Amino acid sequence: MEQLSHDKYPIQAESTRDGVLESASKRVRMIFSVMASPNRIDILRILNSKGPLTYSELKSLAGFKSKKESGKFAYHLRKLLRQSLVALNKAERRYTITNLGKLVLSLARQIEERSIIESGKMYVRTTRPSIEEFNSNKIIQSLVREANMPLEQAHKITEEVENKIYKFQAVYLTSSLIRETVNSVLIEHGHEEYRNKLARLGLPASDIVEMLSNADAAKNGLETLMSKASQSIFSEYLLINTLPKDIADMHLAGEMNISNSGTWGLIPDTIFLDVTNFRENAMDLKGKFLNVSRMPLPGINNSNDFETYLSLLISLLSREASTEVVLEGIIPMILEQTKEPAEISSRFAKALMLSSIAPSYTQSGLPATTITIPADGHDVTSVTALLSGYQKYVDSTPVPRIGISLIYGDMNDQQNQLRYHLDPIASLVRSGGIISLSHDDGLRASSGIRKSIRGKSSGTVITLQSLSINLPRLAYQSNKDETYFRARLALMIKPALAALYIRKKAVAELIRKGTVPALSGNSDFIQSGTTNIIINLIGARESVNDILGHHSKNNGMEVLQKVLKTSVDVALDQGRYIGEGSVGVAMIADDSATRFATLDSDKYGRAYLQSTQQNSTTYSQGLTLYGEQLLMPNDDNSGSLIEECLSVDKLLSGGLSITLDVTELASNHVQLKKAIEAASGIPFFRPMVKLMVCNSCGKRSGSRYQERCEFCGSSHMLLIH
């Protein structure tokens, strides 16, 4: 019937249709007239990217800043409102772009791009992002401004670059392609220094594709991918633009190693923080982390906030250290009002679990956090309750990265009190907990790094220690001459300290600018904080015993002591020369040992590497004791091993990592306890058991020899210790 009615009045229907078309055509013409103004297109672009905006915000962003231009801006905005390209929310008094406005903006962009193609000119897709006509003057400006090149020379380079670009016969250029061409011309003319200043840093597309293809292996999901990409950029910047060329070459050649190179010039490695200082001087984040809650340090009257405060503190500080955060003064907060052992255990476990979500910059999950427990300052029941709470955290976390440090008054106190704590300590070690024991020696991180160098420290201390020297390489190049070896080591310490001094200034500048807000807002550190510079030595056993040929049965320990004393004395003298008093030498574990061993194997052959060590894939780091060695009956070997640890530890001003490996005793609880007790004469040590964790299901295995997960059958197993 409806069709018949239309057929009945064909002239009237056609007239109506013509009227609609004429009205639509008029509307289109009006919209095109709106598009004819660059100012109105700019307003649409601003609202599309930053809206909704108030009248004054939009006016300012559109560039109409003077009072004289107010009428002009109002005219353009009124035009957009009339054509329904922009809408006003009267309740909020904010302007927003409509769907029709977005369509018009998209059409304008397509017309602009097509006109560029038809014009035959060359245009550049910039990183802002925008499309601009190619302008060689911008190359000259970059050469002068970024590379500090003389103007006349910049003109000559630009002329050659321009000739190359016009030969490309491309419609669209990119800013990265232009920069690559400039750098190519600079290299051809031998201007490597200028090229390094202009180089674009980042990952090639193939690396990004590989990262995304293997995203299932990213331990912390998107955080791992983003961290890996950003660290690649900062690592490249460090080696090309920050470090002197000779130091960068030493790192690349494997003579020294810079660990955590992606964060090396940004944040410290270890932070020692006494939180009791905050009771008078609160940590002030100021304008940083505005989405993070501000709360005072839990005191005597509000210790119920302990769990929340600890998780916030660890989450913030984990962003500001690459290796470890050591917290003093935490335990008194929970023990001030909480007296029941069950409640102490429960609250401590809850606080640690809440803190376990803290961010990480590395694949290995660093930085770790260590909470100090003054074992001699609290009763046995309270300490046992804290250990019980830590056990709950360890049992619920496949790879823990929060550890505890039990601190005793002196060796006698440790040996007397340790027997009350041995059972829970042994259980924690078997479960994969991170626990260290120390006495009478000043505070240390779980890595073995000292807080105080020659008695110099404050409440808050940061250390810069992630630079290691390859001792086996030096020993091999010294033709088995111990004196020549020590002379070469002394020469290596000078550039190592120079690199760390550059790093100290860079980190201090970023702290001053507030880039690490928890440290920047710590008035105790700003007023009297200490920054320690520490050089790490790798492969001491291989260099002295295997390459130089001074085995432990003859004069090996004597030669090692001479080597360490030389390094400490030279570092101290060189530190005084550059005005640094807090300079030390350490032997700790980092990521350099395997890299050094691999590079030396490639350089000198695998036969050389196998002749220097039992494990041909890595070098020794710090000192390692084995539990079964300490328990050998009628053998003086255990006593001599402990004496060696004591003598080396006494020499190293920066710290020593002493690991007690009780993996072989893990199934025998009694023997494991005896081994820990036998090592209690050492000022600092960390007992540990090597375990396997499944990368697929996240379950922990009690045996380090398993090739497949006993729960899901996966072969993707991760060794932790």
Side-chain angles (χ1 to χ4, degrees):
M1 293 294 293
E2 186 178 352
Q3 180 64 43
L4 288 174
S5 66
H6 280 287
D7 291 342
K8 190 173 180 179
Y9 306 102
I11 297 175
Q12 183 180 349
E14 187 174 338
S15 175
T16 303
R17 190 161 50 249
D18 289 344
V20 171
L21 290 173
E22 184 178 350
S23 176
S25 177
K26 183 179 179 182
R27 181 77 189 281
V28 170
R29 288 198 302 272
M30 292 297 295
I31 289 175
F32 269 102
S33 71
V34 170
M35 291 172 62
S37 167
N39 288 321
R40 292 193 281 271
I41 293 295
D42 283 344
I43 291 172
L44 289 177
R45 283 175 176 159
I46 291 166
L47 286 174
N48 188 49
S49 61
K50 299 182 179 180
L53 296 170
T54 64
Y55 183 89
S56 58
E57 289 171 343
L58 181 56
K59 178 172 173 286
S60 176
L61 289 171
F64 298 90
K65 296 183 179 179
S66 66
K67 290 184 178 180
K68 293 181 180 179
E69 295 178 307
S70 296
K72 188 177 179 182
F73 171 73
Y75 167 77
H76 288 306
L77 184 58
R78 193 161 51 247
K79 282 272 191 181
L80 294 169
L81 287 166
R82 285 176 180 172
Q83 298 305 318
S84 300
L85 304 182
V86 170
L88 170 64
N89 185 325
K90 294 183 179 180
E92 297 181 0
R93 302 188 64 79
R94 288 180 177 272
Y95 294 88
T96 184
I97 188 171
T98 64
N99 288 333
L100 179 59
K102 291 179 180 179
L103 181 62
V104 167
L105 187 60
S106 175
L107 180 60
R109 189 180 297 114
Q110 292 177 42
I111 292 172
E112 182 182 24
E113 291 185 1
R114 178 51 56 183
S115 67
I116 287 172
I117 294 172
E118 297 296 333
S119 70
K121 297 179 181 179
M122 286 196 301
Y123 286 79
V124 181
R125 294 182 188 270
T126 70
T127 54
R128 276 190 286 274
S130 65
I131 298 176
E132 300 175 359
E133 186 175 349
F134 172 69
N135 183 353
S136 61
N137 287 329
K138 292 191 175 182
I139 299 177
I140 297 172
Q141 292 169 8
S142 292
L143 287 169
V144 173
R145 186 181 64 253
E146 298 176 33
N148 296 321
M149 179 179 282
L151 181 60
E152 184 179 350
Q153 191 175 10
H155 275 284
K156 291 180 180 179
I157 294 294
T158 300
E159 185 178 348
E160 190 170 339
V161 170
E162 194 172 5
N163 290 334
K164 284 195 171 191
I165 286 175
Y166 278 114
K167 290 178 182 178
F168 292 159
Q169 295 183 347
V171 175
Y172 283 117
L173 300 170
T174 61
S175 55
S176 59
L177 176 61
I178 294 173
R179 192 171 286 261
E180 287 170 14
T181 307
V182 172
N183 288 336
S184 173
V185 172
L186 289 173
I187 288 294
E188 288 173 8
H189 287 273
H191 300 312
E192 184 180 355
E193 186 177 345
Y194 290 136
R195 180 263 171 197
N196 289 342
K197 292 179 180 178
L198 286 171
R200 182 182 291 273
L201 307 178
L203 293 169
S206 58
D207 285 6
I208 300 294
V209 171
E210 184 179 355
M211 283 172 56
L212 295 174
S213 300
N214 300 321
D216 55 339
K219 293 180 183 178
N220 296 326
L222 182 61
E223 181 183 7
T224 298
L225 300 181
M226 298 298 289
S227 177
K228 186 176 181 180
S230 61
Q231 287 199 50
S232 172
I233 294 172
F234 283 108
S235 177
E236 192 175 358
Y237 175 75
L238 173 73
L239 295 175
I240 294 177
N241 297 89
T242 304
L243 293 175
K245 188 176 183 299
D246 59 337
I247 295 174
D249 288 346
M250 287 179 186
H251 165 73
L252 295 172
E255 295 174 8
M256 64 173 60
N257 183 74
I258 293 172
S259 301
N260 306 316
S261 57
T263 57
W264 205 76
L266 305 176
I267 55 177
D269 296 312
T270 303
I271 299 175
F272 293 89
L273 185 71
D274 188 345
V275 299
T276 56
N277 291 326
F278 292 167
R279 293 194 170 177
E280 295 180 359
N281 303 307
M283 180 170 59
D284 182 10
L285 298 177
K286 297 181 179 178
K288 306 294 184 181
F289 290 116
L290 297 176
N291 57 330
V292 174
S293 301
R294 268 63 170 167
M295 64 178 297
L297 180 77
I300 295 175
N301 298 321
N302 64 335
S303 64
N304 288 333
D305 293 332
F306 167 75
E307 294 91 337
T308 306
Y309 180 81
L310 182 61
S311 62
L312 279 174
L313 185 64
I314 291 179
S315 181
L316 285 170
L317 290 173
S318 293
R319 293 173 165 87
E320 303 191 2
S322 65
T323 304
E324 188 171 357
V325 176
V326 183
L327 297 177
E328 302 174 74
I330 287 290
I331 297 305
M333 293 183 195
I334 192 172
L335 298 182
E336 278 172 347
Q337 285 193 332
T338 309
K339 303 301 181 184
E340 289 296 323
E343 188 179 357
I344 293 173
S345 174
S346 175
R347 292 190 65 188
F348 192 45
K350 181 181 178 182
L352 296 177
M353 291 176 190
L354 288 172
S355 304
S356 65
I357 197 64
S360 168
Y361 288 117
T362 65
Q363 282 277 67
S364 56
L366 295 175
T369 299
T370 298
I371 297 174
T372 63
I373 300 179
D376 61 330
H378 301 288
D379 59 84
V380 172
T381 303
S382 296
V383 174
T384 303
L386 291 167
L387 293 175
S388 171
Y390 183 63
Q391 181 75 62
K392 294 174 184 176
Y393 157 73
V394 170
D395 290 342
S396 63
T397 311
V399 183
R401 63 186 181 103
I402 301 176
I404 56 174
S405 175
L406 285 173
I407 303 174
Y408 298 87
D410 55 33
M411 186 173 70
N412 291 329
D413 283 343
Q414 179 168 332
Q415 291 176 337
N416 290 333
Q417 296 181 42
L418 186 60
R419 63 178 183 270
Y420 299 111
H421 307 143
L422 269 177
D423 271 316
I425 289 173
S427 296
L428 282 168
V429 172
R430 292 172 66 186
S431 303
I434 305 172
I435 182 167
S436 57
L437 294 88
S438 63
H439 67 261
D440 194 28
D441 190 51
L443 183 61
R444 303 199 199 194
S446 65
S447 63
I449 285 291
R450 297 180 189 270
K451 177 182 179 181
S452 172
I453 295 180
R454 285 177 287 276
K456 298 179 180 179
S457 70
S458 60
T460 302
V461 173
I462 64 174
T463 68
L464 311 176
Q465 80 255 11
S466 54
L467 187 148
S468 302
I469 293 177
N470 185 350
L471 294 183
R473 173 78 66 89
L474 290 178
Y476 187 82
Q477 294 173 344
S478 301
N479 298 319
K480 298 187 177 182
D481 185 326
E482 173 245 318
T483 304
Y484 186 34
F485 168 66
R486 288 192 289 119
R488 288 182 62 86
L489 175 58
L491 290 174
M492 182 69 75
I493 286 174
K494 183 176 180 180
L497 277 180
L500 287 168
Y501 184 65
I502 292 171
R503 182 189 183 192
K504 178 182 177 180
K505 291 194 293 184
V507 171
E509 179 65 12
L510 289 177
I511 291 174
R512 186 188 66 79
K513 291 180 177 179
T515 309
V516 280
L519 273 180
S520 303
N522 180 353
S523 56
D524 172 63
F525 176 73
I526 297 300
Q527 293 169 11
S528 59
T530 302
T531 301
N532 295 334
I533 292 177
I534 297 173
I535 296 172
N536 189 29
L537 304 180
I538 297 296
R541 178 176 62 79
E542 291 82 4
S543 58
V544 173
N545 297 349
D546 300 332
I547 301 175
L548 296 179
H550 299 280
H551 297 283
S552 55
K553 292 183 179 179
N554 44 51
N555 63 338
M557 180 50 61
E558 180 183 341
V559 172
L560 177 59
Q561 289 176 348
K562 288 169 66 177
V563 169
L564 297 181
K565 189 175 187 309
T566 296
S567 62
V568 171
D569 290 345
V570 171
L572 184 60
D573 289 342
Q574 188 61 30
R576 291 195 189 106
Y577 178 76
I578 62 176
E580 285 295 328
S582 298
V583 173
V585 176
M587 284 171 51
I588 60 169
D590 60 15
D591 62 0
S592 61
T594 301
R595 177 175 180 263
F596 283 156
T598 302
L599 290 174
D600 287 351
S601 174
D602 294 340
K603 186 176 180 67
Y604 301 114
R606 189 163 296 278
Y608 147 77
L609 194 63
Q610 291 173 342
S611 69
T612 62
Q613 51 192 334
Q614 295 176 349
N615 181 359
S616 60
T617 61
T618 188
Y619 286 145
S620 60
Q621 297 180 293
L623 296 178
T624 300
L625 300 175
Y626 294 92
E628 57 271 24
Q629 290 179 321
L630 299 183
L631 298 182
M632 288 182 180
N634 303 320
D635 192 351
D636 293 332
N637 186 48
S638 62
S640 63
L641 289 173
I642 291 177
E643 285 298 322
E644 288 178 9
C645 290
L646 292 173
S647 62
V648 172
D649 186 65
K650 188 176 181 180
L651 282 170
L652 291 170
S653 54
L656 173 65
S657 170
I658 302 178
T659 302
L660 175 62
D661 189 340
V662 289
T663 304
E664 299 298 330
L665 306 177
S667 59
N668 190 325
H669 191 72
V670 174
Q671 293 289 85
L672 194 154
K673 289 196 299 180
K674 287 183 178 180
I676 295 173
E677 193 170 19
S680 62
I682 302 172
F684 170 89
F685 70 99
R686 183 191 155 197
M688 67 87 179
V689 168
K690 295 176 181 176
L691 299 172
M692 303 294 289
V693 171
C694 177
N695 262 336
S696 297
C697 69
K699 298 288 181 65
R700 189 188 301 146
S701 169
S703 173
R704 66 181 174 120
Y705 301 108
Q706 281 187 271
E707 295 183 357
R708 290 190 172 275
C709 175
E710 58 188 290
F711 301 99
C712 70
S714 171
S715 60
H716 300 291
M717 303 296 288
L718 173 69
L719 178 66
I720 62 168
H721 53 81

